[in-house]
Amino acid sequence: MKGKVTILTGGAQGIGRTIAEFLADRGSDMVIFDVLDGEATVAELREKGVRAAYFKVDVSSLAQVEQAVATVVKEMGGIDNLVNNAGITRDKLLLRMSEEEWDQVIRVNLKGVFTCTKTVIRHMLKKGGNIVNISSIIGLMGNAGQANYAASKAGIVGFTKSVAREYGERRIRVNAVAPGFIMTKMTDTLDEAWKEKMVKAVPLGRVGEPIDVARVVYFLLSDYSAYVTGETINVSGGLYT
Ligand code: NAP
């Protein structure tokens, strides 16, 4: 990771922030794209001795992504890795789900992966690169109340396989990670009884921590996975296999 430049979306908090810390600890320069203020995260990353920058970017806007990526290339000298982690939920049963709730989730979770990958991959064509997309086991198994979220996360799996096929010969690897139940702000709001039920269903008998996801993202960005592309790795304690 030393001397590499990694763009990470949604890195101001949660799983993304832990991924940022994990990669910075291993020497990667870090660029955070987030709608949430990421200055505190970036200050902490700099203390680890790497270059770090935060851009207020809504990943669902191709124009905002293009502008930020152009600045990154100019100021950091190139891009080696992209981690598409930004994501939202707007849970409702289908009959109660508004058009806006459907659109918001698809725009951020799925279109956001398209905008960032399309823009960044152009700068990886000459010397190769690595892309990791954060999906979810919900995209693979479905979940009542999350049709919009499940569709967006399943879409990421198909997108990952397709782009891996398109750019493999350019030495660009594209993989996905599908986390299960991970403790973050996103899952904090869930009903306690439901959380307990989930933990009982996890073969490894515990909820996941952001670090469990960060380690697998690191594996996929590193040469340890040099012959792996187009894959989705579940990080769910066996909840979904
Ligand atoms: P989180 O704590 O809510 O962090 C997501 C970050 O993305 C937040 O800082 C959020 O800002 C930002 N974001 C939202 N919309 C954005 C946009 N349009 N452009 C740029 N940034 C945006 O979520 P998390 O739990 O760490 O989840 C990270 C990823 O893992 C997501 O893709 C999620 O779907 C996936 N995942 C999570 C779990 C889990 O159990 N936590 C399980 C499976 C998959 P705001 O807070 O201002 O919205």
Side-chain angles (χ1 to χ4, degrees):
M1 282 299 139
K2 278 215 168 60
K4 303 258 183 194
V5 175
T6 303
I7 293 183
L8 167 72
T9 71
Q13 64 174 17
I15 295 172
R17 184 165 180 157
T18 301
I19 295 171
E21 289 165 5
F22 197 85
L23 298 180
D25 278 335
R26 280 146 192 84
S28 177
D29 293 329
M30 295 302 307
V31 180
I32 309 287
F33 288 179
D34 205 308
V35 286
L36 191 71
D37 185 11
E39 289 301 347
T41 307
V42 159
E44 188 199 307
L45 297 175
R46 286 193 191 116
E47 280 173 20
K48 297 176 185 291
V50 299
R51 292 186 295 169
Y54 161 70
F55 291 80
K56 189 175 172 67
V57 172
D58 176 349
V59 294
S60 67
S61 160
L62 182 61
Q64 286 186 31
V65 170
E66 283 177 341
Q67 198 177 16
V69 167
T71 310
V72 172
V73 170
K74 207 164 118 201
E75 289 180 5
M76 311 283 271
I79 303 159
D80 302 286
N81 304 315
L82 168 67
V83 181
N84 284 307
N85 163 80
I88 60 168
T89 51
R90 296 288 182 270
D91 300 352
K92 288 269 172 68
L93 292 173
L94 182 62
L95 286 179
R96 294 188 190 141
M97 190 180 289
S98 67
E99 186 180 7
E100 182 53 17
E101 284 160 343
W102 171 269
D103 285 346
Q104 274 181 349
V105 169
I106 299 296
R107 263 201 311 265
V108 176
N109 297 9
L110 188 54
K111 186 185 171 194
V113 173
F114 159 77
T115 59
C116 292
T117 305
K118 176 181 161 70
T119 310
V120 165
I121 218 163
R122 187 178 300 282
H123 301 284
M124 292 179 165
L125 292 176
K126 281 206 178 116
K127 58 182 186 119
N130 256 302
I131 300 172
V132 175
N133 301 320
I134 307 299
S135 175
S136 166
I137 59 164
I138 300 304
L140 310 173
M141 62 191 273
N143 194 24
Q146 292 198 302
N148 49 0
Y149 184 77
S152 72
K153 294 299 187 179
I156 288 176
V157 174
F159 178 88
T160 300
K161 288 176 194 281
S162 304
V163 181
R165 284 181 187 274
E166 285 183 29
Y167 296 98
E169 64 179 22
R170 295 287 191 147
R171 291 182 300 119
I172 299 170
R173 296 192 294 113
V174 191
N175 290 288
V177 172
F181 187 26
I182 311 292
M183 276 319 292
T184 65
K185 200 193 76 185
M186 191 181 263
T187 42
D188 241 11
T189 53
L190 297 171
D191 177 65
E192 281 305 322
W194 193 82
K195 276 194 221 171
E196 243 175 65
K197 204 175 125 198
M198 287 292 285
V199 173
K200 282 199 184 122
V202 177
L204 288 182
R206 66 169 176 90
V207 295
E209 302 291 337
I211 191 78
D212 294 314
V213 179
R215 289 188 178 120
V216 178
V217 170
Y218 173 73
F219 163 72
L220 288 171
L221 293 177
S222 76
D223 287 344
Y224 291 119
S225 60
Y227 201 51
V228 179
T229 195
E231 294 293 341
T232 299
I233 301 183
N234 302 344
V235 182
S236 71
L239 181 60
Y240 184 79
T241 57

